[in-house]
Amino acid sequence: MREFKITSTCEPEFQAQVQDKIDNLTKPKGALGRLESLAAQICMIQHTLSPELKNPYNILFAADHGVLAQGVSVSPKEVTWQQSYHFLEGGAGISFLCRQHGFRLMVVDAGIDHDMDYSSGIINMKVRKGTRDFSIEAAMTQQELELAIERGAQCVDMAQKDGCNVISFGEMGCGNTSASSIWMSLLAGIPLDKCIGAGAGLDKGGVSHKYEVLKHSIEIFPGTHTTLEIMARYGGYEMVMAVGAMLRAAELRMVILVDGFIMSACMLAASKLCPEVLDYAVFGHQGDESGHKLLLESMNAKPLLHLDLRLGEGSGAVCAYPIVQSAVNMINEMDSFRKASVTKYF
């Protein structure tokens, strides 16, 4: 499998320089709160005292899940391919958010169970027409997992060649909250019942059925397993592709904006493979999906927003982008006490 060489951003001497610049801006020390820590993180990622955000991309990976056959979602499978076209037609939630905040939207077929028309602008990275039903067998083979990781990395390379240095990821795939719940439970050691929510709108009975299906799926694959084995057994192609994309983005020292429950589960998996990836992660929001708070806490993540979102698609990450811009503008545009001839009053 492809190896990613991700450099930790922990450089104490440079970090002291960054903090000194922030502390000497014309404000009380710490007065701009999260903007200050966020600016410091971006400076460390880019290794500069004057960071820039260039040509942001939201890469949206779409694929179908075999476990949908077990009734774990209210959404029918055809929604995946229908919405994939809709994203690029401009009328979806992520579409208006990308327009509003200046993001390029890349829609990627990671494994949609449909014959897609790629002249629409959708990028063809299809591994297979949907995963297998993980309540019966492994969702994907090791070879398919490796291919998905590689193709996710290739998508990031495409964005980076277009001048992008800040990137978010989204997903479309009916049933992917089920896969994410199992990843969360097994990789973070959180009881399964704390990881499961309503997804696209299950009622109480539907959530209970979903739990039983996922519990059974774990029971038929007993023992201790590696992160890659868990990813292959239960993941979706869009999720594994996102993991590869996150690892490649960190390798390229890009700022990674992390979206909701599913993308947080992908970042969890990425961090189990390469812990340094978390240095590059800015968590956009805490979503309304049950378990997301616990998932974020497992990574010591502090989300920027809490708007009760549960759309996915990258929506929460893109919504949070203006805060990231404010942090960068703060460190680049505020004067120091010396430059402004203002007495340092603390």
Side-chain angles (χ1 to χ4, degrees), residues 1-4 125 127 140-154 226 228-229 231-233 236-237 240-245 247 273:
M1 195 189 82
R2 177 173 181 157
E3 292 186 9
F4 296 89
M125 293 285 182
V127 175
M140 66 188 74
T141 66
Q142 180 70 22
Q143 292 73 24
E144 289 166 353
L145 175 112
E146 293 177 10
L147 181 59
I149 288 173
E150 176 63 32
R151 289 183 174 177
Q154 290 172 9
T226 67
L228 290 174
E229 287 171 340
M231 289 170 61
R233 179 76 194 193
Y237 296 123
V240 175
M241 215 166 275
V243 171
L247 293 172
L273 298 174

Side-chain angles (χ1 to χ4, degrees), residues 3-293:
E3 292 186 9
F4 296 89
K5 297 179 180 178
I6 301 174
T7 305
S8 171
T9 64
C10 182
E11 300 176 58
E13 290 186 10
F14 183 65
Q15 187 172 9
Q17 296 176 40
V18 171
Q19 196 60 51
D20 181 70
K21 180 175 181 179
I22 292 172
D23 288 346
N24 282 283
L25 300 176
T26 49
K27 58 172 181 58
K29 187 176 180 179
L32 282 174
R34 286 295 304 279
L35 293 186
E36 297 189 23
S37 59
L38 188 53
Q41 180 185 5
I42 296 169
C43 285
M44 298 302 292
I45 290 171
Q46 298 185 0
H47 198 78
T48 178
L49 295 175
S50 301
E52 294 181 277
L53 301 173
K54 298 185 291 186
N55 203 15
Y57 263 70
N58 183 66
I59 302 180
L60 195 159
F61 299 104
D64 284 303
H65 290 247
V67 75
L68 198 66
Q70 302 302 323
V72 295
S73 173
V74 297
S75 300
K77 186 169 63 175
E78 62 266 22
V79 170
T80 304
W81 67 262
Q82 291 169 349
Q83 274 289 82
S84 296
Y85 290 128
H86 189 213
F87 294 135
L88 292 178
E89 290 166 356
I94 192 59
S95 308
F96 86 79
L97 287 167
C98 284
R99 284 196 300 272
Q100 179 182 354
H101 298 299
F103 276 66
R104 283 283 305 275
L105 176 59
M106 179 191 296
V107 180
V108 179
D109 175 3
I112 301 172
D113 189 7
H114 188 75
D115 293 320
M116 302 297 290
D117 176 9
Y118 299 112
S119 67
S120 65
I122 294 172
I123 306 298
N124 181 13
M125 293 285 182
K126 192 192 296 283
V127 175
R128 184 178 182 270
K129 285 187 173 181
T131 56
R132 300 160 187 86
D133 182 351
F134 64 62
S135 71
I136 299 172
E137 59 183 321
M140 66 188 74
T141 66
Q142 180 70 22
Q143 292 73 24
E144 289 166 353
L145 175 112
E146 293 177 10
L147 181 59
I149 288 173
E150 176 63 32
R151 289 183 174 177
Q154 290 172 9
C155 290
V156 172
D157 287 338
M158 293 167 63
Q160 194 255 358
K161 288 177 182 177
D162 195 33
C164 170
N165 74 349
V166 55
I167 195 162
S168 63
F169 302 104
E171 43 61 41
M172 179 66 216
C174 301
N176 56 17
T177 60
S178 293
S180 299
S181 295
I182 292 184
W183 279 17
M184 173 185 170
S185 181
L186 297 181
L187 296 176
I190 297 172
L192 182 63
D193 63 330
K194 303 293 185 184
C195 305
I196 293 176
L202 289 171
D203 59 19
K204 185 176 180 180
V207 173
S208 178
H209 171 70
K210 180 177 178 179
Y211 172 76
E212 293 299 329
V213 171
L214 301 192
K215 179 173 175 286
H216 166 76
S217 301
I218 293 173
E219 288 173 346
I220 63 172
F221 189 51
T224 302
H225 307 288
T226 67
T227 298
L228 290 174
E229 287 171 340
I230 291 168
M231 289 170 61
R233 179 76 194 193
Y234 302 108
Y237 296 123
E238 83 283 19
M239 294 168 61
V240 175
M241 215 166 275
V243 171
M246 290 170 176
L247 293 172
R248 179 56 176 157
E251 189 174 45
L252 292 171
R253 299 189 75 98
M254 301 171 80
V255 177
I256 303 171
L257 305 177
V258 184
D259 191 41
F261 180 62
I262 294 152
M263 288 298 101
S264 295
C266 292
M267 179 54 74
L268 174 65
S271 72
K272 296 299 181 181
L273 298 174
C274 297
E276 297 82 5
V277 72
L278 289 174
D279 291 356
Y280 299 83
V282 175
F283 290 83
H285 76 117
Q286 180 184 313
D288 194 39
E289 179 68 20
S290 176
H292 194 200
K293 181 176 185 290

